[in-house]
DNA sequence: CAGCTTCAGTCAACCGGTTTCCTTGAACGG
DNA sequence: CCGTTCAAGGAAACCGGTTGACTGAAGCTG
């Protein structure tokens, strides 16, 4: 049997290349505190290649070097927004020689577990945290045993390690669009209170609504889910129940799922989209184009958020000073069929 | 400064408990090849507890023991189906003392990378593979350096390590429902060819359609995405374009995304759901209830699939013989608004 | 009471890398 | 011609666990 299931180890490479373990290690890690003949370097690389050598991550981590792994903590994997972010993070990490692991953190329930399993057990060098919120257990754990980390999407004020998008701009973009169509009463469905991107989006919405001189700009809060969208929509349209005209002619939501819930609720009330109510969602994902009517959304640079967060984290791991980062790509409107001039507008 | 960021190590626990490293290791790992006084055992546990001791996974792995980590490879994270499976896997793994890592495997592109990063570098003890398909590079890598693994959802024939659900039953359930409503011409949107659960579902559909004596049971294939659903729907309804009656009065899809695409396409053709065409999807997720009309689906035991796969894998890692497993929970119908009696039925 | 078990744990090697400090031979300067 | 320096690479300690072989003391046996 030509069984050869044994992993090649550093010594194997060393033997084949005719040098010592130390030399192989230094060459493969590209350390310049050692001078080697180009010819030797070459031999080492060839030997490693031919043996299919892969350093054992555990041994590496033990020896004081890094694990070359990061972990991304997201609050809800079922939210495809985070999947897009995760993809960006994964790709960029890979380009930088890191492995990005993905973990779901059900709003704190799993945070401590994840922290223990991943950080305390030395599996990762740093954390990408997309699930932060005030009072989150992770913040506590991080202050007790600090580990390189960045907060993305949901920021932590004053941490100096936030990687975010220009969410204020997304509110402006959505409102400008609706305003230009002639809407004067626009409702906003915000996320749960206390979560930064949600608060920022809401503030920007209110400010810009005032600046545009909208007649009404009510806000309702709800979870980022379909159900949250339904509840908030009913709240915004409450006056409708008695048969009078709806108090708003357009709704701008914080998440795609909320928009889906909102659309369902609006149609169930017997109102039409976009004739009676226009809807604008946040985040552009394939499903948006397949809803009926297709959903107009503000596309956020989610993938870039992932890459930028990894850039920042890796820089921090390698000792660079940290600072807040805002992804430069601007949100932009993806026009579909869920928005139109309000009836009765000139 | 009360800085104490140093992780507690095995020796620290040993010192506090007043015993040797070896004893601590054996006690904490619950090995019975060692006899200890209950009192000593107690001291060790208390010491570990008070120091917040967590074994370094790398050191552990190096010393020949396991890493206590698994990896789940899914073909598309954006498909919430896999998120549900992942949750089941994560929870069950945790109960068994393992950590379940999640990796996306874009149909083979990332498989080798993941395999290298996770298996070759010794980060995990085993693999849960949900992304298998014929000719997948992973199958090759696995035969070269075998690692404990199971295939879930998508099986690999003859591997003897498949963990699946009763997908045939889901076709039967869907068809029985439609047949009982009076539908005689039901179309099926299958997944891409060669992927097992898709093939099985299709076979079961055709067989049961024949058994029920349906007048027509056309099948169209498409990706598991919304776009795949649109294309397949247009194919099934092609005859409609000329204004004649649609060739089918109901459509049963392989995935939720396909169903969403199908609904969009049907409505865009000017047909009504469910009056003109009934739609039944597969997999029940929150969004299904928020579509307009709400989607009737066959709920598959996804979470259980995740737990069962972990059970099988961990058993395999611990040396038990493997065999194919079918999750016992049966698919069941979730009745919503997208199905009704066909018009013209008695 | 010597010898044999059993109990309760200890010793030390080992896993596969990384890193610090050395060694060695050759070239070079004076 | 001899001491220095430098390029090129090697030896060995160490990281934090695990594990099988081993040991001292107590208990049992005859």
């Amino acid at each position: 049997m030509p069984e050869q299931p044994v992993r090649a180890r550093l010594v194997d490479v060393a033997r084949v290349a005719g040098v010592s373990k130390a030399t192989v290690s230094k060459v493969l890690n590209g350390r310049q505190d050692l001078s080697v003949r180009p010819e030797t370097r070459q031999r080492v690389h060839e030997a490693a290649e031919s043996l299919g050598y892969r350093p054992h991550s555990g041994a590496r981590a033990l020896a004081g070097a890094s694990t070359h792994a990061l972990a991304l903590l997201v609050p809800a994997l079922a939210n495809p927004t985070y999947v897009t972010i995760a993809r960006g993070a994964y790709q960029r990490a890979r380009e930088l020689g890191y492995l990005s692991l993905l973990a779901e953190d059900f709003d704190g329930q799993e945070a401590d577990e994840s922290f223990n399993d991943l950080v305390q057990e030395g599996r990762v060098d740093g954390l990408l945290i997309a699930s932060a919120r005030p009072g989150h257990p992770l913040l506590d754990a991080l202050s007790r045993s600090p580990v390189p980390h960045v907060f993305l999407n949901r920021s932590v004020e004053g941490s100096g390690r936030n990687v975010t998008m220009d969410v204020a701009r997304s509110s402006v973009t959505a409102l400008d669009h609706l305003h230009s169509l002639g809407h004067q009463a626009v409702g906003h469905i915000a996320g749960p209170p206390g979560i930064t991107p949600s608060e920022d989006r809401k503030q920007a919405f209110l400010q810009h609504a005032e600046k545009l001189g909208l007649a009404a700009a009510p806000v309702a809060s709800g979870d980022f889910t379909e159900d949250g969208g339904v509840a908030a929509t009913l709240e915004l349209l409450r006056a409708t129940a008695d048969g009078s005209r709806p108090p708003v002619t357009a709704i701008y939501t914080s998440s795609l799922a909320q928009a889906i819930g909102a659309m369902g609720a609006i149609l169930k009330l017997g109102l039409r989209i976009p004739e009676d109510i226009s809807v604008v969602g946040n985040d552009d994902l394939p499903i948006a184009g397949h809803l009926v009517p297709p959903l107009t959304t503000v596309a956020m640079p989610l993938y870039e958020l992932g890459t930028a967060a990894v850039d920042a984290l890796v820089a921090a791991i390698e000792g660079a000073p940290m600072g807040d980062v805002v992804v430069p790509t601007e949100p932009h409107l993806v026009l579909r069929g869920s928005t139109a001039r309000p009836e009765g507008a000139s």
Side-chain angles (χ1 to χ4, degrees), chain A residues 233-234 237 240-241 243-244 246 262-277 343:
Chain A
T233 299
L234 294 179
L237 298 181
T240 305
S244 62
M263 287 177 67
I266 291 167
L267 296 173
K268 193 171 293 176
L269 285 172
L271 296 168
R272 296 162 302 163
I273 303 173
E275 293 83 354
D276 296 316
I277 310 277
E343 295 206 328

Side-chain angles (χ1 to χ4, degrees), chain A residues 254-319:
Chain A
S254 298
S255 78
L256 182 58
Q258 282 176 340
I260 292 172
M263 287 177 67
I266 291 167
L267 296 173
K268 193 171 293 176
L269 285 172
L271 296 168
R272 296 162 302 163
I273 303 173
E275 293 83 354
D276 296 316
I277 310 277
S278 286
V279 178
V280 178
N282 231 299
D283 299 339
D284 189 46
L285 296 159
I287 192 177
H290 292 277
L291 297 170
V292 181
L295 180 67
T296 294
T297 61
V298 180
M300 303 296 290
L302 299 170
Y303 191 91
E304 284 94 326
L305 181 66
T307 62
V310 168
D311 284 336
L313 179 56
V314 170
I317 288 173
E318 291 173 355

Side-chain angles (χ1 to χ4, degrees), chain A:
Chain A
M1 269 192 267
E3 281 284 1
Q4 196 206 354
V6 279
R7 297 174 5 89
R9 291 152 319 178
L10 192 60
V11 275
D12 300 323
V13 177
R15 188 168 353 90
V16 171
V19 294
S20 72
K21 281 169 48 170
T23 305
V24 175
S25 174
K26 289 170 185 164
V27 167
L28 292 184
N29 288 320
R31 300 189 45 136
Q32 62 276 57
D33 65 338
L34 171 76
S35 53
V36 269
R37 259 173 294 155
E39 166 206 331
T40 308
R41 182 185 304 276
Q42 175 73 5
R43 277 214 317 284
V44 169
H45 279 120
E46 283 171 7
E49 178 73 18
S50 78
L51 291 172
Y53 172 68
R54 292 242 120 198
H56 187 285
S57 79
R60 231 179 185 183
L62 240 199
S66 86
T67 63
H68 285 259
L70 314 173
L72 168 59
L73 266 44
V74 302
L77 269 179
N79 183 343
T81 301
Y82 290 106
V83 172
T84 307
I85 296 174
R87 286 191 183 141
Y90 178 85
Q91 283 303 336
R92 190 83 188 98
R94 176 151 263 294
E95 289 164 25
L96 297 175
Y98 283 77
L99 175 63
S100 167
L101 306 176
L102 184 55
E104 192 172 21
D105 167 18
F106 293 101
D107 269 318
Q109 293 305 303
E110 321 266 298
D112 275 333
E113 293 174 6
S114 298
F115 188 77
N116 286 338
D117 292 345
L118 296 168
V119 177
Q120 303 277 45
E121 294 189 358
R123 293 186 206 269
V124 302
D125 299 334
L127 251 27
L128 299 156
I129 303 168
S131 57
R133 55 174 174 66
H136 195 287
L138 203 51
L139 301 180
D140 216 53
L142 281 171
S143 66
R144 274 200 310 279
S145 54
V147 165
H149 62 282
V150 302
F151 299 103
L152 62 154
N153 191 31
R154 300 190 183 177
S155 58
V156 172
E157 202 158 349
S159 69
R161 38 182 82 240
N162 298 312
V163 180
T164 53
M165 300 174 293
D166 188 352
V167 295
R169 179 101 230 132
S170 81
S171 291
V172 170
T173 303
L175 267 181
D176 279 347
H177 169 58
L178 293 170
H179 182 250
S180 75
L181 286 173
H183 290 273
Q184 291 296 326
V186 178
H188 173 49
I189 299 181
I195 292 180
T196 41
S198 180
E199 296 287 356
D200 294 347
R201 196 156 22 216
K202 175 173 148 188
Q203 288 313 319
F205 170 81
L206 291 172
Q207 273 175 32
H208 199 62
E210 189 175 339
K211 184 169 160 202
L212 292 175
L214 294 194
V219 173
S221 294
D223 285 344
F224 291 114
T225 60
E226 286 91 357
D227 282 334
V230 170
T233 299
L234 294 179
E235 190 178 332
L236 288 175
L237 298 181
R238 184 153 298 156
T240 305
D242 58 15
S244 62
R245 292 179 66 95
V248 297
T249 59
I251 290 179
Y252 159 57
T253 74
S254 298
S255 78
L256 182 58
Q258 282 176 340
I260 292 172
M263 287 177 67
I266 291 167
L267 296 173
K268 193 171 293 176
L269 285 172
L271 296 168
R272 296 162 302 163
I273 303 173
E275 293 83 354
D276 296 316
I277 310 277
S278 286
V279 178
V280 178
N282 231 299
D283 299 339
D284 189 46
L285 296 159
I287 192 177
H290 292 277
L291 297 170
V292 181
L295 180 67
T296 294
T297 61
V298 180
M300 303 296 290
L302 299 170
Y303 191 91
E304 284 94 326
L305 181 66
T307 62
V310 168
D311 284 336
L313 179 56
V314 170
I317 288 173
E318 291 173 355
M322 277 247 24
D324 287 355
V325 174
V326 177
V327 175
T329 308
E330 296 260 301
H332 68 273
L333 192 76
V334 179
L335 199 58
R336 295 206 182 84
S338 65
T339 51
R341 311 187 75 77
E343 295 206 328
S346 61

